[in-house]
Amino acid sequence: MKICIPVLEDQGLESQVSAHFGSAPLFMLVDTEAGSCRAVPNSNAHHGHGMCAPLDALRGERFDSLVVAGIGQGASNRLQAAGIAVLRTDQHTVGEVVAALRAGTLQPLRPGETC
C-alpha cells in the first residue's frame, strides 16, 4: 500500500507528522510493502484559507491513502472524490503511522472531524 503523510521535515520514518495537511512543508510518500519513503515538497503550503489545492501539490504522485492529523473539509472532499481514502492519526512520526496502519488502528476520517 502507498500512503501519503504530511510532515514537518525529511527524516524518513522519523519525520514528524504535521498538524495540518494543507500547510505541511512536505509530504512523505511511503510504500508500506517495500518499506521505502520519499519526501515531496508542498509547493502549495502558503495558501489562503479554503484555497488548499492538495491534488495540485501532489500532481503526478500515486498513493492509496492520505493519513492526517488535521485537514480542512474542502481538501478532504477533493481527495475522497479522487478516490483517495483519508485516514485520521494521532501518531507523532511516520514510523508510528506505518505501525498503526499495519496494526489496523487507523480509522477513516468521519464527517465533523475536519478543521
Side-chain angles (χ1 to χ4, degrees), residues 17-104:
V17 175
S18 175
H20 195 270
F21 169 65
S23 57
L26 300 165
F27 299 115
M28 189 64 69
L29 298 173
V30 181
D31 183 328
T32 61
E33 294 170 16
S36 63
C37 54
R38 176 174 59 88
V40 174
N42 180 4
S43 59
N44 191 37
H46 304 290
H47 58 272
H49 181 71
M51 301 302 293
C52 182
L55 297 179
D56 288 348
L58 291 164
R59 187 175 313 246
E61 302 294 345
R62 298 199 182 275
F63 51 94
D64 307 299
S65 299
L66 175 76
V67 183
V68 297
I71 189 169
Q73 186 65 49
S76 177
N77 289 345
R78 287 189 289 276
L79 287 158
Q80 291 180 20
I84 298 169
V86 180
L87 305 173
R88 184 175 47 85
T89 188
D90 59 0
Q91 278 73 34
H92 300 286
T93 68
V94 169
E96 290 171 355
V97 169
V98 171
L101 181 69
R102 287 185 176 140

